[in-house]
Amino acid sequence: MKTRIAVLASGGGSNLGALFDHFDALGDRARGEIALVASNVPSAGALTRAASRGVPTAIISEPAALASMLDRAEVEIVVLAGYLKLVPPAVVRQFHGRMLNVHPALLPAFGGPGMYGLRVHQAVLDSGARVSGATVHFVSEEFDRGAIVAQWPVPVFEEDSPADLARRVLRVEHALLPRVVDALAADAIALDDDGRVRGAFLVGRQGAAFTLPHESTDLGLEIDAAMA
Ligand code: GRF
């Protein structure tokens, strides 16, 4: 029985696409399945991607509708993949340790209210930072402040535009998010009561730091398994 997952997205859904592709590549080894894709934007590309795969979709007309929507779908994990609306605190509490978000920067830097889209990458460039990257973290009631599960650094080049950096970060988001989601679906990672993430640490040759189970690292990622 695979763990049922809901994905909330407001945009094009390339991270959703990466989730679909990863679960397809894992086949029977996938520990999760996307049971619902919901958006606050009726025209969101994420909804089109889901519909093309026959995955149920829903429009989040108002945040208050989210709790019953997730209950009806009987999902156990919620993934925010470019979801730009507030998740009601009651839903965050209900999915404590079971709700993940992907952020296109190395939190806790360059995060928080209003930090989304190209603004994030513009802020990184303005800061003179030499690395940026992707962060997958548990969702807490404070925006972008939940426990960090995994990060993957990318270089920042002098000539980068915000769009250049966004493209480079998005590529590693697509590698990182699905593997963390599958790990959570496998109960290979968890958020402890003391707010720390428990799981086996793996460090990729590319410098990515993961907490992932052994089996979900064999898909095209050169990962050196190094138990922390
Ligand atoms: C990603 O950059 C993600 O980090 C941020 O929103 C963007 C979503 O992109 N939260 P997509 O809709 O998955 O293509």
Side-chain angles (χ1 to χ4, degrees):
M1 186 70 177
K2 292 182 192 275
T3 303
R4 291 171 62 81
I5 300 165
V7 178
L8 309 187
S10 303
S14 71
N15 272 291
L16 173 67
L19 281 163
F20 278 134
D21 294 345
H22 187 63
F23 284 143
D24 285 351
L26 280 172
D28 293 341
R29 288 181 298 158
R31 308 300 294 273
E33 61 178 355
I34 299 172
L36 172 71
V37 174
S39 180
N40 58 302
V41 177
S43 61
L47 295 175
T48 309
R49 289 176 189 262
S52 69
R53 284 169 171 263
V55 172
T57 60
I59 304 293
I60 307 166
S61 51
E62 50 167 357
L66 195 52
S68 54
M69 180 185 294
L70 297 172
D71 289 347
R72 277 197 306 277
E74 295 179 318
V75 297
E76 299 163 68
I77 290 174
V78 180
V79 178
L80 308 185
Y83 184 62
L84 299 180
K85 283 290 186 192
L86 172 85
V87 178
V91 177
V92 172
R93 285 192 296 273
Q94 179 186 346
F95 285 90
H96 178 74
R98 306 295 286 174
M99 185 180 287
L100 293 166
N101 181 50
V102 58
H103 183 75
L106 296 178
L107 293 176
F110 307 111
M115 286 302 272
Y116 59 86
L118 289 179
R119 292 185 198 181
V120 178
H121 306 294
Q122 185 63 64
V124 170
L125 293 170
D126 293 347
S127 76
R130 289 285 174 259
V131 288
S132 188
T135 301
V136 178
H137 62 96
F138 283 112
V139 174
S140 69
E141 292 177 54
E142 211 184 337
F143 218 69
D144 287 344
R145 300 291 296 173
I148 291 172
V149 178
Q151 294 186 302
W152 189 321
V154 299
V156 178
F157 298 120
E158 286 293 323
E159 67 279 8
D160 273 343
S161 68
D164 294 331
L165 185 52
R167 265 188 299 277
R168 192 172 308 123
V169 171
L170 197 58
R171 241 194 332 271
V172 299
E173 291 178 46
H174 292 168
L176 201 58
L177 180 64
R179 287 163 176 83
V180 173
V181 171
D182 195 58
L184 184 60
D187 289 323
I189 57 174
L191 182 60
D192 277 347
D193 293 342
D194 62 2
R196 294 177 60 81
V197 179
R198 176 172 49 80
F201 284 81
L202 293 146
V203 180
R205 286 203 180 92
Q206 301 89 335
F210 298 86
T211 51
L212 283 178
H214 41 290
E215 75 269 11
S216 72
T217 60
D218 61 356
L219 292 163
L221 276 183
E222 297 284 311
I223 299 277
D224 298 320
M227 299 299 283

